[in-house]
Amino acid sequence: MAITRLGLSNPAANTDVALATFSAPYLVSVTAANKSVLSTPVCKVSIYVVPNNAVVESQYAYVAYNITIGVGQSFETFRFATNAGDTLFVRATTADVSFAANGVEQNDVALAENTAQTFTNKVIRGDDNTLYLAKGTTAQRPASAEVGYVRFNTEYDRLEVKTSTGWQLVGWSA
């Protein structure tokens, strides 16, 4: 799942601009940069999400509200979630601010079921939120397995873990 540029804008002063409208759930962050060479007027930015079907401002979700950005400075928001149908808006009090929104689509289809994946400190997702372990008989244990490797032993119908002393069955069976 690649990070995608969702929108860029250099809006006029005090103008609300739709930076992105989402057709699927996304995990998003926005970068705002003050390109001005003058310290006055003071530059303030607001970043907010209008949820799908929101009809009044009290339903908007402000990610940043009137945040001051100094000359030549920038900031990136924390990551926040959006849903399909939401719209991301930005506004600045000066015309010298550049906004960029980037994100990752949050969709189980992005990681198709039964696709072989290698994960290191990642969340494992699939169509059924299922984790499939290696399986086989005792004789089929992989010789190259490192300590901590987990698999399902089909002879014993149990999980087993490779430890520093060898393979250990996990739990018990009736």
Side-chain angles (χ1 to χ4, degrees):
M1 294 181 276
I3 295 174
T4 303
R5 181 183 306 126
L6 303 169
L8 298 171
S9 183
N10 294 282
N14 298 308
T15 304
D16 294 307
V17 173
L19 197 55
T21 298
F22 302 95
S23 58
Y26 271 83
L27 183 61
V28 181
S29 71
V30 176
T31 303
N34 183 352
K35 305 177 295 178
S36 179
V37 295
L38 303 173
S39 59
T40 58
V42 173
C43 174
K44 294 188 176 195
V45 301
S46 293
I47 301 165
Y48 61 98
V49 175
V50 176
N52 188 24
N53 298 321
V55 292
V56 294
E57 188 173 354
S58 63
Q59 296 172 318
Y60 300 175
Y62 279 84
V63 178
Y65 185 77
N66 281 339
I67 302 292
T68 301
I69 305 178
V71 173
Q73 293 183 338
S74 65
F75 77 91
E76 180 180 14
T77 66
F78 54 87
R79 279 62 170 175
F80 57 94
T82 63
N83 291 320
D86 292 352
T87 303
L88 173 64
F89 283 88
V90 296
R91 177 179 57 240
T93 57
T94 67
D96 296 318
V97 179
S98 180
F99 292 95
N102 296 292
V104 177
E105 184 177 355
Q106 297 295 293
N107 190 333
D108 284 345
V109 176
L111 178 59
E113 186 176 11
N114 299 326
T115 301
Q117 298 288 326
T118 301
F119 296 97
T120 303
N121 298 322
K122 300 284 189 273
V123 175
I124 298 171
R125 298 174 46 167
D127 289 342
D128 297 323
N129 292 322
T130 304
L131 169 64
Y132 295 98
L133 295 176
K135 65 181 179 181
T137 64
T138 302
Q140 294 171 321
R141 290 174 174 160
S144 62
E146 298 176 20
V147 170
Y149 188 93
V150 178
R151 68 187 292 270
F152 184 79
N153 188 309
T154 56
E155 275 181 58
Y156 297 103
D157 281 335
R158 292 170 56 192
L159 290 177
E160 60 183 0
V161 178
K162 177 71 179 272
T163 69
S164 60
T165 60
W167 287 97
Q168 301 292 319
L169 293 169
V170 176
W172 62 276
S173 152

